[in-house]
Amino acid sequence: MSDTKVTPIVLVTGPSGAGRTTAINVLEDLGYEAIDNLPLRLLPGLVSAAGDAGPMALGLDSRNRDFSPAALLEVIDMLEARDGCELSVLYLDARPDVLLRRYSETRRRHPLAPGETPELGIQRELSLMGSTRDRASLLLDTSEMNVHQLKAEIEHLFAPGGRNLALSIQSFSYKRGVPRSVDMVFDCRFLDNPYWNQSLRGLDGRDVAVQAHVKADQRYEGFFSRVLDMTRFLLPAYREEGKSHLSIAFGCTGGQHRSVTLAETLAKALAEEGQQVSIRHRELQS
């Protein structure tokens, strides 16, 4: 039995406007190292240098400066013959009328007809990509798909067991303002403040004594259980919507005791349920 580690490589291609960028972004969220519009001549060296670094998603289409159908087919042949590579060629397709409508909506110029009509560019590209389409291991027609449906289909193909939404939880002090780009903020200044206990003032919410003090407040359990239940409810809803990351922040006066306790406790509870959780205490790290 061979011990050679296999590296999944997905070549994402197809006509402009069929959804290649969306597919690349979804694969990146699934843990693939994503590189778009890489010149074909550089691809063999990139794969060799990557070794067994992890799965890769490579976006290739007619916009590449050195693109030609023959050159792309040579790359496919090379990767299929390479030991340690598990190659998938994902071809995203769409009807010409759909591609034209999408270009009309964005008012972009077609890369193969920058000074002409989009219809001519679409015709040229579909003709150019025909041989690559025939070599695709996965052919996905996006004509009737919206962005969310396309994301769901890519996840179904490359993460059939589903994926966990990345979750970040942080604590902060209201004195320094609410963190930017946070999805949900909870104010826990109503809880009993350990700051007024001299033996706890110099500690923070990662300490068990501080946590015990905060949790002794009779309002704590009702508050925490509701936040936990709401988070459990929202995670699958956000995942279904196609969201890849959710951020939750707890704030208190100094960002040292109560907010840290809530952030630590929520992160631990969700991690124990299998969620992918990262945690940051802004005032303790600055």
Side-chain angles (χ1 to χ4, degrees):
M1 181 180 294
S2 173
D3 294 328
T4 302
K5 185 175 180 179
V6 176
T7 300
I9 297 178
V10 182
L11 293 186
V12 185
T13 189
S16 303
R20 183 183 47 78
T21 299
T22 297
I24 286 284
N25 290 338
V26 174
L27 288 168
E28 185 172 27
D29 288 339
L30 292 175
Y32 285 73
E33 181 180 1
I35 303 174
D36 201 6
N37 287 326
L38 179 75
L40 290 176
R41 66 182 182 277
L42 300 180
L43 195 146
L46 171 69
V47 173
S48 298
D52 59 357
M56 302 177 68
L58 307 175
L60 301 169
D61 66 14
S62 61
R63 294 178 301 165
N64 291 69
R65 287 179 297 174
D66 58 351
F67 177 87
S68 72
L72 182 52
L73 293 179
E74 287 180 6
V75 166
I76 293 173
D77 290 336
M78 179 271 294
L79 292 176
E80 286 181 338
R82 187 181 181 87
D83 291 336
C85 286
E86 182 181 15
L87 179 66
S88 299
V89 179
L90 173 61
Y91 189 97
L92 299 170
D93 204 2
R95 300 192 310 269
D97 62 298
V98 173
L99 295 175
L100 180 60
R101 186 185 74 238
R102 291 173 181 172
Y103 267 97
S104 299
E105 291 171 350
T106 61
R107 298 183 179 180
R108 294 173 53 206
R109 294 182 298 176
H110 195 282
L112 295 189
E116 301 171 282
T117 64
E119 291 96 330
L120 287 175
I122 291 169
Q123 292 172 11
R124 290 169 183 166
E125 188 169 36
L126 291 176
S127 176
L128 195 63
M129 300 295 292
S131 57
T132 305
R133 187 182 189 276
D134 293 338
R135 288 289 300 274
S137 50
L138 295 167
L139 180 60
L140 191 58
D141 190 327
T142 69
S143 299
E144 304 299 329
M145 294 183 184
N146 59 34
V147 171
H148 300 302
Q149 291 169 332
L150 176 55
K151 288 180 177 180
E153 187 63 26
I154 298 298
E155 290 181 8
H156 174 73
L157 290 171
F158 294 95
R163 62 166 173 147
N164 282 333
L165 178 146
L167 179 63
S168 65
I169 301 175
Q170 62 178 296
S171 64
F172 70 93
S173 165
Y174 275 99
K175 292 179 180 179
R176 292 184 56 196
V178 177
R180 295 182 179 180
S181 302
V182 175
D183 297 302
M184 293 190 293
V185 177
F186 295 100
D187 185 347
C188 50
R189 287 176 291 186
F190 65 91
L191 295 171
D192 189 29
N193 192 351
Y195 177 84
W196 302 113
N197 186 317
Q198 290 293 334
S199 64
L200 301 177
R201 180 173 295 185
L203 305 176
D204 62 62
R206 295 171 295 186
D207 189 281
V208 292
V210 172
Q211 293 183 4
H213 182 100
V214 175
K215 293 177 182 181
D217 189 314
Q218 63 180 1
R219 298 164 296 188
Y220 170 85
E221 185 56 39
F223 175 62
F224 176 75
S225 63
R226 286 172 173 80
V227 171
L228 179 59
D229 287 344
M230 184 173 66
T231 305
R232 287 169 172 162
F233 173 79
L234 289 174
L235 285 173
Y238 281 129
R239 187 181 300 113
E240 182 178 341
E241 178 65 16
K243 190 175 178 66
S244 61
H245 180 263
L246 176 67
S247 57
I248 300 174
F250 292 94
C252 65
T253 305
Q256 180 176 337
H257 297 107
R258 293 165 291 181
S259 61
V260 175
T261 294
L262 266 298
E264 287 283 330
T265 307
L266 182 63
K268 180 180 179 182
L270 294 172
E272 289 175 349
E273 296 177 2
Q275 297 294 335
Q276 178 185 341
V277 185
S278 64
I279 190 165
R280 175 178 183 248
H281 301 301
R282 190 180 72 178
E283 318 311 339
L284 302 183
Q285 296 173 353
S286 57

